[in-house]
Structures are given as structure tokens and as C-alpha cells.
């Protein structure tokens, strides 16, 4: 059966042991056979449910939290479209997790004042000398350097960004950061970023 006699002997030993255990269970449960079969079927169903859930865990997690970046390989990040129809991503900026809206109409990575505070930048000390045109009109901006920006397992250091001087409900992941990738494209409900 096997090329190795030890493997063949091991296989026959396990087969005999399995048959003996099955016979012992059957003999002990003859009166309770219908209930035992039902219980066995339930356990088999539970086992296959866990195996199936584990096999599809990435799809389940993406559906539960679409803004989590998923690494497809060491240089490729996948984002999933949110329920609102936009792409959002959780980035670790200066050690803090922030959710940003992917905005290809924004030139820069733009932080709200609140998010700037969360990553250790005091907006009251910034010079808001820059100007940006937004859907809500023109706003002032201040240039900052972020120590680190991480998406998935990919980390960039000394990343230029802007702090928005107006009311911004969610920070923006704009072109200046996306251009750090060799390519980025939308494929249905997925955005693929490749280094």
C-alpha cells in the first residue's frame, strides 16, 4: 500500500483502532442508536460549519468591517467598498488607528483637526497658510509631517500631509499618498493598491 513498511503498519494499526472504537460505541449504544445518530449528525454539522466559516473568514471579516485593509501579498493591499459606496481605510498614523475616506479628488492626505490631535499634532500651534478648494468652498490648511503611516503591513515614514482648518467630518486619503503605490485600481467592490 505505502512504499514505507512503517507507514503501512501505522495505517493498519489506526484502521484497526478506529474499527474497534466504532464497534465499542455501537455496541454500547444499541438501545440509544437513533439518539446517538442524531447527536453524531449534529456534531458533524457543527464541525463542517466551523471548517466552512474558517475557509471564508476573510470574506466574512471584510463584510463585517470593510474599512480594514487586507494584505493579498507582501506588496498588495485590498480595500472593500463600504455600505455607503465609498472606499474607507483604517490607517495607523503615528501609532493611532484612524479611519480615512479614500478621496481621489483630494490632492493630499488631509487630517481633520480632531484626528490631528489624536496623532499628537496640536492644531493651535499650526500656521494655516495653505488654501484648498473643497465641495464646501475654500478652506485653509497647514502642512505637517507624519512620523509614520501604515496601511495593512506597509509602513511609510516621514509622510507629508495637511491639517484642514475647516470642519472636516472624516480625514481624507488623497492622491499624494496613493501615488506612493506603483498602481491602484478599482475592481468592482474592491480597491487594489500595489507597491
Amino acid at each position: 500500500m505505502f512504499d514505507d513498511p512503517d507507514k503501512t503498519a501505522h495505517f493498519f494499526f489506526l484502521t484497526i483502532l478506529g474499527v474497534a472504537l466504532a464497534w465499542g460505541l455501537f455496541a454500547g449504544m444499541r438501545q440509544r442508536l437513533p439518539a446517538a445518530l442524531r447527536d453524531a449528525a449534529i456534531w458533524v454539522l457543527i464541525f463542517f460549519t466551523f471548517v466552512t466559516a474558517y475557509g471564508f473568514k476573510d470574506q466574512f471579516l471584510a463584510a463585517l468591517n470593510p474599512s480594514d485593509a487586507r494584505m493579498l501579498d507582501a506588496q498588495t493591499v485590498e480595500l472593500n467598498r463600504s455600505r455607503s459606496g465609498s472606499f474607507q481605510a483604517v490607517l495607523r498614523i503615528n501609532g493611532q488607528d484612524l479611519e480615512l475616506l479614500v478621496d481621489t479628488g483630494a490632492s493630499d492626505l488631509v487630517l481633520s483637526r480632531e484626528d490631528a490631535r489624536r496623532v499628537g499634532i496640536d492644531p493651535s500651534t499650526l500656521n494655516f497658510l495653505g488654501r484648498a478648494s473643497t465641495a464646501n468652498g475654500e478652506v485653509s490648511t497647514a502642512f505637517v509631517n507624519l512620523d509614520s503611516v501604515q496601511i495593512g503591513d506597509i509602513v511609510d515614514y516621514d509622510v507629508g500631509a495637511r491639517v484642514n482648518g475647516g470642519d472636516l467630518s472624516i480625514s481624507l486619503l488623497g492622491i499624494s499618498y496613493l501615488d506612493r503605490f506603483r498602481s491602484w485600481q478599482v475592481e468592482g467592490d474592491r480597491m487594489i493598491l500595489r507597491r
Side-chain angles (χ1 to χ4, degrees), residues 86-175:
S86 61
F87 289 99
Q88 296 178 5
V90 174
L91 276 71
R92 181 167 281 267
I93 299 177
N94 293 356
Q96 298 295 317
D97 288 342
L98 299 179
E99 188 165 10
L100 284 81
L101 175 69
V102 178
D103 186 352
T104 58
S107 300
D108 298 305
L109 192 158
V110 181
L111 297 177
S112 68
R113 287 174 175 262
E114 180 182 335
D115 283 347
R117 282 188 204 91
R118 287 183 60 200
V119 300
I121 299 168
D122 183 358
S124 67
T125 64
L126 299 177
N127 293 320
F128 287 88
L129 303 175
R131 307 300 292 167
S133 295
T134 71
N136 296 326
E138 194 169 279
V139 295
S140 60
T141 63
F143 182 80
V144 293
N145 270 333
L146 304 173
D147 295 333
S148 64
V149 175
Q150 179 177 351
I151 184 169
D153 296 336
I154 298 173
V155 183
D156 292 299
Y157 298 97
D158 194 30
V159 176
R162 302 262 175 201
V163 175
N164 186 300
D167 292 328
L168 185 63
S169 60
I170 186 169
S171 296
L172 306 175
L173 184 61
I175 293 295

Side-chain angles (χ1 to χ4, degrees), residues 75-77 181-185 187 192-195:
Q75 299 295 314
T76 308
V77 179
F181 290 85
R182 179 172 42 92
S183 70
W184 50 272
Q185 62 195 47
E187 297 175 359
I192 310 296
L193 310 170
R194 291 185 178 89
R195 277 286 161 106

Side-chain angles (χ1 to χ4, degrees), residues 61-68 78-89 99 101-102 185-192:
L61 291 174
L64 290 174
N65 195 359
S67 60
D68 282 346
E78 176 189 70
L79 302 175
N80 290 291
R81 194 180 301 272
S82 69
R83 290 173 200 83
S84 68
S86 61
F87 289 99
Q88 296 178 5
E99 188 165 10
L101 175 69
V102 178
Q185 62 195 47
V186 175
E187 297 175 359
D189 286 336
R190 305 180 322 147
M191 177 177 261
I192 310 296

Side-chain angles (χ1 to χ4, degrees), residues 1-19:
M1 176 178 266
F2 295 102
D3 292 336
D4 184 359
D6 289 337
K7 286 185 180 178
T8 303
H10 188 70
F11 172 77
F12 281 118
F13 171 75
L14 290 176
T15 302
I16 291 168
L17 181 63
V19 168

